[in-house]
Amino acid sequence: MTLKLRIDHQSGTAPYEQLRAQISGQARSGALPVGYKLPTVRGLAEELGLAANTVAKAYRALETDGVIETRGRRGTFVAAADDAAARRAAEAARTFADEARRLGLDRAAAAAAADQALRAVYG
């Protein structure tokens, strides 16, 4: 198993976001299995020619998303991301439903708003 990352400095997307998206995608697809040990922040920064703060920012975002977990001095590992992602999506959906009801939308109007937002993001 090898971590495969590529930073495109011409893409217009911040390098930390490219890292976050690539590691997250590989973890969710199974290309990086649960328990896979990630390189240190410094090591990955040197390997990719990035500032350590850039890699640290990506790792913090991934940890917040539940994709990775830091185990102190033992290192940073891929976590069971699908569980965390499903849990966070359910929480976000519940927050949306509560807000839609508070605004007085009926179920059909709330569903239409959610569907429109999903189309805008996923195409």
Side-chain angles (χ1 to χ4, degrees), residues 11-38:
S11 74
T13 301
Y16 90 90
E17 177 56 26
Q18 292 180 51
L19 279 178
R20 187 210 59 76
Q22 290 176 47
I23 293 171
S24 180
Q26 290 177 39
R28 285 190 170 82
S29 74
L32 294 177
V34 171
Y36 178 86
K37 186 174 181 179
L38 294 168

Side-chain angles (χ1 to χ4, degrees), residues 24-30 32 34 65-68 78-90:
S24 180
Q26 290 177 39
R28 285 190 170 82
S29 74
L32 294 177
V34 171
D65 292 346
V67 175
I68 64 173
V78 173
D82 287 337
D83 295 340
R87 188 172 54 252
R88 291 202 54 206

